[in-house]
């Protein structure tokens, strides 16, 4: 992503500020300076009663497998037994991306835009916030967190890398129809029993509502506010939000 189109660079240069989904650098600084916020984040990540979510939710063999992967990635700490399942799932995905992969978050578009903003002394605004995003995933129901973790465990690192690289290549090609198909969150009950449909469909609807519908509404409201302001804002969000066609 080092070579973004000139039209993007020109629009950025002519803007007054950069608006991102969240400002992770600001959030990390706030965590260091604000003990109350740090405790709030800890409570979102971990059990406050000593409850071991993941060990209680998974079969013994799956729990051992998850522990093995996290230890291999250097992501297993003494607090992990008390971490919520969403954190395990995110950590596993991070582990998969480490396995001989050539894509790195610190070289992505968002980091490129942050570098430009600093070079050009532009203010960095937030569309959502890191704490809002954390609240969203940490407050998924236990059932949904369990399904997300089991899905991560069922996916091999090779499959995860191949799927991610395929999506990256489609993004580079820039064909909207292909991308829209690739990023769409779909419900597919092919090969499911009726019991599986009854169990999983409510979890899918919960995930779609929180990750897509609710967030898009918030992003739209932010975009309207910026459009009505006296500033020119360079507005940058994940591609799925821009291609979503849901009402």
């Amino acid at each position: 992503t080092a070579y973004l189109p000139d039209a993007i660079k020109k629009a950025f240069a002519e803007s007054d500020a950069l608006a991102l989904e969240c400002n992770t650098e600001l959030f990390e600084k706030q965590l260091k300076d604000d003990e109350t916020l740090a405790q709030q984040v800890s409570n979102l990540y971990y059990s406050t009663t000593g409850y071991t979510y993941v060990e209680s939710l998974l079969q013994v063999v799956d729990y051992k497998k998850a522990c093995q992967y996290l230890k291999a990635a250097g992501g297993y700490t003494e607090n992990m037994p008390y971490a919520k399942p969403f954190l395990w799932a995110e950590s596993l995905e991070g582990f998969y991306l480490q396995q001989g992969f050539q894509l790195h978050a610190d070289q992505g578009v968002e980091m490129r835009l942050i570098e430009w903003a600093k070079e050009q002394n532009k203010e960095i605004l937030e569309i959502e916030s890191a704490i809002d995003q954390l609240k969203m995933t940490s407050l998924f129901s236990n059932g949904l967190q369990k399904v997300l973790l089991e899905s991560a465990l069922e996916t091999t690192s090779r499959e995860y890398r191949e799927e991610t690289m395929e999506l990256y290549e489609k993004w580079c090609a820039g064909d909207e129809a292909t991308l829209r198909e690739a990023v769409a969150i779909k419900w597919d009950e092919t090969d499911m029993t009726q019991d599986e449909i009854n169990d999983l469909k409510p979890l899918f609807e919960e995930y779609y509502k929180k990750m897509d519908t609710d967030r898009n509404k918030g992003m739209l409201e932010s975009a309207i506010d910026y459009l009505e302001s006296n500033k020119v804002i360079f507005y940058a969000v994940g591609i799925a939000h821009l291609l979503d066609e849901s009402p």
Side-chain angles (χ1 to χ4, degrees), residues 108-126:
V109 172
E110 185 168 284
M111 293 307 298
R112 188 78 54 191
L113 296 177
I114 290 173
E115 289 174 8
W116 289 357
K118 290 179 178 178
E119 291 169 1
Q120 299 175 30
N121 295 316
K122 296 187 190 295
E123 183 181 6
I124 300 177
L125 307 172
E126 290 190 313

Side-chain angles (χ1 to χ4, degrees), residues 8 25 43 53 56 62 100 104 202:
I8 296 293
E25 288 187 357
N43 292 343
Y53 293 96
S56 303
D62 288 334
H104 304 280

Side-chain angles (χ1 to χ4, degrees), residues 197-243:
I197 293 172
N198 293 341
D199 289 342
L200 295 176
K201 192 169 185 179
L203 300 179
F204 169 83
E205 291 172 347
E206 176 190 352
Y207 180 85
Y208 185 82
K209 181 178 185 300
K210 291 182 178 179
M211 286 291 290
D212 190 90
T213 306
D214 291 349
R215 292 182 67 202
N216 284 348
K217 288 179 180 177
M219 289 181 177
L220 175 60
E221 291 171 0
S222 294
I224 291 171
D225 287 341
Y226 289 140
L227 286 168
E228 293 176 346
S229 73
N230 293 321
K231 292 184 177 181
V232 177
I233 309 298
F234 190 99
Y235 194 89
V237 298
I239 191 70
H241 297 292
L242 299 175
L243 296 176

Side-chain angles (χ1 to χ4, degrees), residues 17-240:
L18 166 65
L20 300 172
E21 290 186 18
C22 67
N23 186 337
T24 53
E25 288 187 357
L26 174 62
F27 186 61
E28 290 172 1
K29 182 178 185 304
Q30 290 171 334
L31 284 177
K32 292 179 180 178
D33 298 339
D34 188 336
E35 292 183 5
T36 301
L37 177 63
Q39 185 60 55
Q40 182 184 6
V41 169
S42 177
N43 292 343
L44 291 171
Y45 275 129
Y46 302 101
S47 166
T48 58
T49 63
Y51 182 66
T52 53
Y53 293 96
V54 174
E55 188 174 12
S56 303
L57 290 173
L58 295 182
Q59 299 290 331
V60 173
V61 64
D62 288 334
Y63 181 68
K64 289 183 177 179
K65 180 180 177 182
C67 290
Q68 177 184 353
Y69 283 174
L70 290 190
K71 288 176 181 177
Y76 188 92
T77 67
E78 61 182 11
N79 291 325
M80 281 307 290
Y82 312 105
K84 294 182 180 179
F86 85 92
L87 183 57
W88 284 69
E90 290 179 358
S91 299
L92 285 172
E93 290 174 356
F95 169 67
Y96 295 154
L97 289 177
Q98 292 177 21
Q99 309 308 300
F101 209 58
Q102 299 304 310
L103 298 181
H104 304 280
D106 60 358
Q107 296 175 17
V109 172
E110 185 168 284
M111 293 307 298
R112 188 78 54 191
L113 296 177
I114 290 173
E115 289 174 8
W116 289 357
K118 290 179 178 178
E119 291 169 1
Q120 299 175 30
N121 295 316
K122 296 187 190 295
E123 183 181 6
I124 300 177
L125 307 172
E126 290 190 313
I127 298 166
E128 299 177 311
S129 72
I131 192 68
D132 286 340
Q133 291 186 348
L134 178 54
K135 285 179 179 178
M136 175 185 62
T137 50
S138 69
L139 297 178
F140 281 158
S141 66
N142 281 346
L144 177 54
Q145 291 195 48
K146 180 175 183 287
V147 167
L148 293 175
L149 177 53
E150 288 175 338
S151 176
L153 284 169
E154 290 167 3
T155 304
T156 67
S157 59
R158 177 184 292 274
E159 290 171 338
Y160 191 87
R161 294 196 308 274
E162 288 177 351
E163 289 174 2
T164 304
M165 183 57 76
E166 181 182 356
L167 181 60
Y168 173 71
E169 290 172 351
K170 289 178 179 177
W171 177 84
C172 288
D175 179 72
E176 283 195 23
T178 302
L179 276 170
R180 184 173 286 110
E181 176 70 18
V183 302
I185 303 174
K186 302 174 183 175
W187 168 251
D188 182 5
E189 53 190 52
T190 306
D191 299 328
M192 285 188 186
T193 66
Q194 189 58 51
D195 284 345
E196 288 173 330
I197 293 172
N198 293 341
D199 289 342
L200 295 176
K201 192 169 185 179
L203 300 179
F204 169 83
E205 291 172 347
E206 176 190 352
Y207 180 85
Y208 185 82
K209 181 178 185 300
K210 291 182 178 179
M211 286 291 290
D212 190 90
T213 306
D214 291 349
R215 292 182 67 202
N216 284 348
K217 288 179 180 177
M219 289 181 177
L220 175 60
E221 291 171 0
S222 294
I224 291 171
D225 287 341
Y226 289 140
L227 286 168
E228 293 176 346
S229 73
N230 293 321
K231 292 184 177 181
V232 177
I233 309 298
F234 190 99
Y235 194 89
V237 298
I239 191 70

